[in-house]
């Protein structure tokens, strides 16, 4: 029987009980609106851990003032059904007041990794992410926590935080899950009308072109970037936020593509911001 | 037999073993140069917990660029002797590299409480404090941690952080321990020559005058503050950093003294910065 828990105290007690019983705990932190990407994380946790907790919390502090916090899709009952089908043990679904009570004022910041990619267009976003993830880790005390590689920068930031703050939670990252046409699964794909959904294929197209050029020996970032921006320009329906060829560990722009390369892309289609990435190993 | 441990991994394993044995763990975080104030924390921990860990780490990130990090008194062998005499179980004395390895970049910030008192004259100080304390809590996993009320703002910030970040460590605060002449014990008193040491009595004198005026019914902060500054001016050897009458919970300046009052004072005597405080309950 799957439990739905809203109170911090209650899940803390449950987690303490599991620990006494020597059970390993897997946590899949989500903002709900689950898709196959999330389900791959849940299944991995089910495989590796004795109990699996899925948190569903649309975290207000990781949205900018002009971003889509209120519009973000919430389909709690459908999410519960999906979790139940995948034999999740507990859904932790706290209210905003439960997580951020009056007087709350602490923030966790991973200073350098956020000065790149999405961090530049979404100031404060990764502080919001780091803070809620650390809270969830303190609340659930998971042995392992599962994150998707689609949010590559988020993953790096969380790994860094776990290391820097001496946490014992192992971070497990899972590959991007894609729609049949190659578009990365995202809760935000729900925002797209059929035309915009067609345009979303551009992200993967840009990344595949980067892969093609780099694998064929191009080592000049400028050459690759200009080819990628040329492709992007042909798709009138989108606005590029960034196309970046950077170091997969530091996220700093590369001045030569002879090492491993993270190709990361963010575009806006109407009001919807979509991201995708690929690491090309040399 | 008291252990001295330098490695994070080693104390983590020891802490995990204690937890399995159902032992309660007390942590006394210090920067060394132990005095009777620290010893009162250690004795309280010995009284309340099965095992007591004293951390000794002069934390560079809580010193400003012009502050006394390199000059800060370090008397490790004397500290070890004092701890051994007081039956401490473990001294945790990591190196700076052990705590802040290459690439370290995470910071914890308690945003509002630091915008007062010492936080104003020591920018970044309390981020350094919050970050190291959270790391120590994650490393040692104490049931209880002990702090002195002399660092009143630090104590409030740590309590807030523990609450905000859903930690399970109980914060125990202990009263200021004083020299026979009323001067609050502080490792920095070591810096003072006999003349300066005499001048240090001014902090307590200011606070006692505030207490006297408030207890006798004065409710105007301006009246009390001007009396206190008048006393301070008579002591030529000191420079006042702040004298504050504020709310003991929010640290915001009071506009009337009809509620509980925190009287907090910071002065510089030569290069030495000293603080003291008292909460007057109404």
């Amino acid at each position: 029987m799957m439990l739905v828990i809203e109170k911090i105290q209650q899940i803390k007690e449950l987690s303490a009980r599991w620990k006494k019983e020597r059970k390993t705990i897997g946590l899949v932190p989500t903002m709900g609106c689950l898709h196959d990407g999330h389900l791959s994380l849940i299944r991995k946790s089910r495989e590796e851990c004795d109990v699996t907790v899925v948190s569903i919390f649309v975290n207000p502090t990781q949205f900018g003032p002009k971003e889509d916090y209120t519009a973000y899709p919430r389909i709690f009952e459908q999410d519960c059904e999906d979790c139940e089908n995948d034999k999740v043990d507990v859904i932790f679904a706290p209210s905003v007041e439960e997580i951020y009570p009056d007087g709350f004022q602490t923030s966790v910041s991973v200073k350098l990794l956020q000065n790149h990619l999405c961090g530049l267009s979404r100031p404060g976003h990764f502080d919001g992410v780091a803070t809620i993830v650390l809270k969830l880790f303190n609340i659930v005390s998971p042995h392992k926590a599962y994150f998707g590689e689609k949010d590559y920068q988020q993953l790096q930031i969380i790994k860094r935080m776990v290391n820097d703050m001496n946490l014992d939670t192992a971070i497990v990252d899972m590959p991007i899950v894609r729609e049949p046409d190659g578009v990365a699964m995202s809760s935000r794909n729900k925002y797209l009308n059929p035309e915009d959904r067609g345009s979303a294929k551009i992200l993967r197209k840009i990344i595949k072109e980067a892969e093609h050029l780099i694998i064929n020996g191009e080592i000049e970032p400028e050459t690759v970037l200009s080819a990628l921006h040329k492709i992007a320009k042909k798709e009138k329906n989108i606005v590029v936020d960034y196309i970046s060829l950077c170091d997969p560990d530091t996220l700093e722009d590369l001045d030569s593509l002879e090492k491993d390369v993270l190709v990361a892309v963010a575009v806006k289609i109407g009001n919807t911001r979509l991201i995708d990435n690929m690491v090309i190993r040399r």
Side-chain angles (χ1 to χ4, degrees), chain A:
Chain A
M1 241 291 286
M2 185 180 75
L3 283 176
V4 177
I5 292 181
E6 294 174 2
K7 295 297 175 194
I8 290 169
Q9 196 46 41
Q10 203 184 339
I11 185 123
K12 276 201 171 204
E13 284 165 15
L14 191 56
S15 168
R17 173 140 47 91
W18 286 331
K19 295 233 158 159
K20 269 191 193 163
E21 295 166 354
R22 300 266 188 277
K23 284 181 176 159
T24 57
I25 304 169
L27 172 66
V28 183
T30 82
M31 300 209 299
C33 195
L34 304 181
H35 51 64
D36 285 354
H38 298 109
L39 299 184
S40 78
L41 305 178
I42 291 171
R43 283 167 199 155
K44 189 72 178 173
S45 172
R46 286 267 305 136
E47 209 179 294
E48 296 187 336
C49 302
D50 296 323
V51 291
T52 292
V53 177
V54 173
S55 64
I56 297 183
F57 180 64
V58 185
N59 176 35
T61 68
Q62 71 190 69
F63 288 81
K66 289 180 182 169
E67 290 181 7
D68 55 345
Y69 172 63
T70 45
Y72 197 85
R74 289 159 172 90
I75 50 165
F76 187 67
E77 285 178 22
Q78 181 61 51
D79 289 341
C80 287
E81 212 169 284
D82 289 344
C83 286
E84 185 124 47
N85 287 340
D86 262 318
K87 301 197 168 46
V88 164
D89 298 277
V90 172
I91 289 180
F92 176 52
S95 67
V96 171
E97 295 69 35
E98 180 75 1
I99 293 293
Y100 301 118
D102 272 357
F104 182 94
Q105 57 183 278
T106 302
S107 178
V108 180
S109 188
V110 179
K111 297 285 184 187
L112 303 177
L113 283 169
Q114 66 178 320
N115 297 333
H116 303 280
L117 308 177
C118 295
L120 297 177
S121 16
R122 307 186 70 187
H125 168 69
F126 287 114
D127 286 1
V129 169
T131 307
I132 186 64
V133 169
L134 184 50
K135 278 175 68 75
L136 289 170
F137 286 6
N138 288 339
I139 292 167
V140 179
S141 300
H143 297 81
K144 294 188 175 191
Y146 297 80
F147 294 88
E149 288 172 358
K150 201 198 65 167
D151 299 303
Y152 186 92
Q153 186 174 16
Q154 167 178 286
L155 184 62
Q156 292 305 107
I157 284 174
I158 290 167
K159 284 180 177 175
R160 185 78 245 178
M161 177 187 74
V162 162
N163 223 50
D164 284 355
M165 298 312 294
N166 310 100
L167 302 173
D168 289 320
T169 301
I171 304 302
V172 181
D173 48 305
M174 293 288 288
I176 298 174
V177 177
R178 299 182 179 281
E179 304 282 357
D181 66 354
V183 171
M185 297 229 175
S186 165
S187 306
R188 290 190 169 98
N189 290 347
K190 282 216 180 0
Y191 295 139
L192 303 173
N193 63 34
E195 190 200 343
D196 292 348
R197 180 62 186 74
S199 305
K201 287 185 279 188
I202 190 71
L203 289 111
R204 184 68 171 161
K205 207 166 156 194
I206 292 168
I207 288 169
K208 292 300 273 183
E209 177 64 13
E211 182 187 32
H212 172 77
L213 292 171
I214 293 170
I215 281 180
N216 281 290
E218 184 53 62
I219 60 162
E220 282 298 326
E222 291 315 315
T223 311
V224 176
L225 286 171
S226 97
L228 303 183
H229 279 285
K230 208 171 282 175
I231 293 172
K233 276 222 177 72
K234 282 190 211 146
E235 178 57 66
K236 300 293 175 207
N237 201 22
I238 67 152
V239 177
V240 170
D241 179 5
Y242 62 76
I243 301 176
S244 181
L245 305 172
C246 60
D247 182 298
D249 296 321
T250 66
L251 308 183
E252 282 165 11
D253 283 335
L254 290 171
D255 45 26
S256 155
L257 307 177
E258 288 164 301
K259 303 188 299 175
D260 293 349
V261 182
L262 169 69
V263 186
V265 181
V267 307
K268 278 197 106 172
I269 306 179
N271 287 322
T272 304
R273 194 172 173 284
L274 298 177
I275 58 175
D276 201 346
N277 71 79
M278 178 192 277
V279 178
I280 300 161
R281 301 281 172 197
R282 303 313 294 265

